[in-house]
């Protein structure tokens, strides 16, 4: 039984919502975040990326970073940027955009989930977290005494939930704006919370789609506050953390492409010849690379595209990890041919989000930055769920969900 509950959100006053709302902390670097917030004192990036207000090179774990986040947040509250709802509520959040030539839309439920559902694996993960990054985000939660950014969950379809969302996303929204990147963001208050609480109780699991570090950090922060509270009862707000839960069939997943800096001593011709030992190699182009199907990858090297198709009978379909194209590519090409032993740590490999498309692979190879690019097919929602259900972990950089949630629209305070 999955637990959700309404919360008394801290949220921007309507006239400032579009100015406050920002991209998540982890999709931009310092320079990009600084440029996005330039001239906008209300941008939530001042809270989730306080490095934009500090000297270049400030360590992400330095005390000054968290002090700045806390003081920026307090200043925005003192200036009347936010109001807090008087009563706990559940919200609906829709994002709409044109994605690679197609109009897409996804509508999720904004509520709080219980930290024990994460630690007990009712909320399932498919990625590893890095301790240093998890430490940073845990401290960020504790310094703000808030979940400043929601995590992005998905779940299998449930008819009652789908009916509730369809019904309640018809009224007057509290926010409705188009962000600078062209994504439209619309938020409604659900007229009643109890039907959502009851409907989610029918689900046996939710899955982390995007935000593994935020989820782990929220659970850790709650556990630390529990340990510090001698009068802990289990009813405290810190037992819960902020999430947006989406029906999985509404989500759009893009691939994470791979690029490698050199061909491990081979020239381009010899490299392509080696690929023929792995599978069927045929001429290709950027258009095919943009829609490559599972079981194959498109390879760009020396001004030419080739499609590498792995023998279907060689892929263990019943193994949720070994059947992933990312794993097949690593085991059959990256490691034996290019000498990439660990994609997590090898500095010769890099990753390109699918939103950039095969043209970015061409640009990086043609510029000489890298020697070869691999255009991947996106994993499916079912593959992600199969991995999580099996208690397994996917390789790094396998999923790119689009559109991204905006931060700063709904904030969960832990008091």
């Amino acid at each position: 039984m999955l637990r959700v509950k309404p919360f008394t959100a801290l949220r921007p006053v309507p006239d400032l919502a579009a100015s406050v709302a920002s991209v998540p902390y982890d999709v931009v670097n310092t320079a990009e975040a600084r440029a996005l917030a330039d001239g906008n004192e209300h941008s939530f990036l001042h809270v989730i990326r306080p490095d934009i207000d500090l000297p270049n090179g400030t360590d992400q774990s330095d005390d000054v970073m968290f002090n700045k986040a806390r003081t920026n947040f307090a200043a925005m509250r003192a200036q009347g940027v936010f109001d807090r709802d008087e009563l706990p509520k559940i919200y609906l959040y829709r994002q709409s955009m044109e994605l690679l030539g197609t109009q897409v839309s996804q509508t999720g439920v904004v509520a709080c989930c219980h930290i024990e559902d994460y630690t007990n694996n009712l909320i399932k993960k498919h990625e590893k977290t890095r301790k240093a990054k998890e430490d940073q985000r845990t401290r960020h939660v504790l310094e703000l005494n808030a979940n400043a950014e929601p995590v992005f969950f998905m779940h299998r379809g449930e008819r009652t939930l789908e009916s509730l969302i369809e019904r309640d996303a018809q009224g007057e929204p509290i926010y409705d704006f188009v962000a600078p990147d062209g994504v439209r963001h619309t938020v409604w208050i659900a007229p009643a919370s109890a039907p959502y609480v009851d409907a989610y109780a029918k689900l046996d699991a939710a899955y982390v789609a995007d935000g593994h570090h935020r989820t782990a950090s929220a659970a850790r922060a709650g556990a630390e506050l529990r340990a510090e509270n001698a009068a802990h009862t289990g009813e405290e707000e810190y037992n819960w953390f902020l999430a947006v839960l989406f029906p999985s069939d509404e989500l759009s997943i893009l691939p994470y492409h791979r690029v490698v800096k050199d061909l491990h001593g081979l020239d381009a011709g010899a490299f392509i010849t080696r690929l023929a030992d792995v599978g069927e190699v045929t001429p290709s182009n950027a258009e095919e690379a943009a829609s490559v199907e599972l079981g194959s990858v498109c390879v760009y090297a020396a001004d030419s595209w080739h499609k590498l198709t792995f023998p279907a009978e060689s892929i263990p379909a019943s193994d949720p990890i070994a059947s992933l194209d990312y794993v097949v590519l690593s085991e059959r090409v990256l490691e034996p041919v290019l000498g990439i032993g660990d994609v997590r740590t090898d500095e010769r490999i890099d990753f390109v989000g699918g939103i950039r498309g095969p043209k970015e692979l061409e640009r990086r190879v043609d510029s000489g930055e890298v020697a070869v690019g691999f255009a991947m097919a996106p994993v499916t929602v079912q593959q992600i769920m199969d991995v999580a259900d099996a208690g397994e972990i996917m390789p790094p950089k396998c999923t790119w969900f689009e559109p991204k949630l905006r931060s700063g629209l709904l904030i969960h305070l832990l008091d």
Side-chain angles (χ1 to χ4, degrees), residues 159-178:
R159 185 168 299 178
T160 302
L161 271 172
E162 293 165 359
S163 297
L164 286 170
I165 293 170
E166 182 178 4
R167 182 196 70 189
D168 293 344
Q170 300 297 323
E172 184 71 20
I174 55 172
Y175 305 130
D176 190 5
F177 63 90
V178 177

Side-chain angles (χ1 to χ4, degrees), residues 397-412:
K397 305 295 186 184
C398 288
T399 57
W400 180 287
F401 286 87
E402 196 70 39
K404 303 289 187 184
L405 303 179
R406 284 262 151 173
S407 298
L409 288 176
L410 297 163
I411 301 163
H412 172 233

Side-chain angles (χ1 to χ4, degrees), residues 104-372:
V104 299
S105 178
Q106 58 190 35
T107 308
V109 174
V110 189
C112 282
C113 292
H114 203 282
I115 63 173
E116 289 180 357
D117 285 354
Y118 176 72
T119 56
N120 293 335
N121 207 37
L122 287 177
I123 297 170
K124 302 184 178 186
K125 52 188 176 291
H126 64 267
E127 288 183 7
K128 282 184 178 178
T129 56
R130 300 199 310 272
K131 185 178 185 302
K133 190 173 179 181
E134 192 180 309
D135 289 346
Q136 292 166 7
R137 302 323 295 178
T138 300
R139 184 170 176 189
H140 191 268
V141 172
L142 293 171
E143 291 285 351
L144 298 185
N145 199 37
N147 302 132
E149 298 183 272
V151 292
F152 185 158
F153 290 166
M154 63 182 179
H155 55 80
R156 290 187 171 88
E158 203 285 320
R159 185 168 299 178
T160 302
L161 271 172
E162 293 165 359
S163 297
L164 286 170
I165 293 170
E166 182 178 4
R167 182 196 70 189
D168 293 344
Q170 300 297 323
E172 184 71 20
I174 55 172
Y175 305 130
D176 190 5
F177 63 90
V178 177
D181 58 5
V183 180
R184 182 178 180 182
H185 301 267
T186 312
V187 180
W188 297 265
I189 296 175
S193 297
Y196 289 91
V197 173
D198 293 342
Y200 277 107
K202 297 177 183 177
L203 298 180
D204 58 5
Y207 299 81
V208 182
D210 200 3
H212 282 78
H213 286 91
R214 272 167 280 171
T215 309
S217 300
R220 271 184 55 185
E224 289 187 24
L225 292 170
R226 279 184 173 191
E228 294 171 1
N229 183 6
H232 171 78
T233 66
E235 299 300 317
E236 296 85 358
E237 199 64 27
Y238 58 65
N239 293 287
W240 301 84
F241 64 96
L242 184 62
V244 187
L245 301 103
F246 290 93
S248 59
D249 60 0
E250 289 200 4
L251 302 182
S252 300
I253 306 176
L254 301 181
Y256 245 118
H257 306 311
R258 273 76 171 120
V259 292
V260 178
K261 291 182 179 179
D262 61 70
L263 297 179
H264 201 46
L266 300 172
D267 61 32
F271 170 67
I272 297 300
T273 299
R274 288 287 300 275
L275 293 184
D277 296 332
V278 176
E280 181 184 6
V281 178
T282 54
S284 188
N285 53 54
E287 290 69 30
E288 185 174 32
S291 57
V292 60
E293 66 273 12
L294 290 172
S296 54
V297 299
C298 283
V299 184
Y300 185 74
D303 300 321
S304 297
W305 281 101
H306 297 82
K307 182 179 179 181
L308 170 63
T309 302
F310 305 112
E313 67 277 7
S314 72
I315 298 175
S318 61
D319 188 320
I321 292 294
S323 59
L324 294 173
D325 287 345
Y326 295 97
V327 173
V328 176
L329 179 70
S330 289
E331 292 181 346
R332 304 184 191 184
V333 178
L334 298 183
E335 183 172 357
V337 181
L338 295 179
I340 304 292
D342 186 346
V343 296
R344 296 182 187 278
T345 60
D346 198 310
E347 295 184 356
R348 294 171 54 232
I349 190 168
D350 199 5
F351 308 92
V352 177
I355 192 69
R356 297 179 183 271
K359 291 296 183 182
E360 175 65 9
L361 302 187
E362 291 183 351
R363 185 196 70 77
R364 295 189 67 172
V365 173
D366 293 345
S367 71
E369 292 178 46
V370 298
V372 61

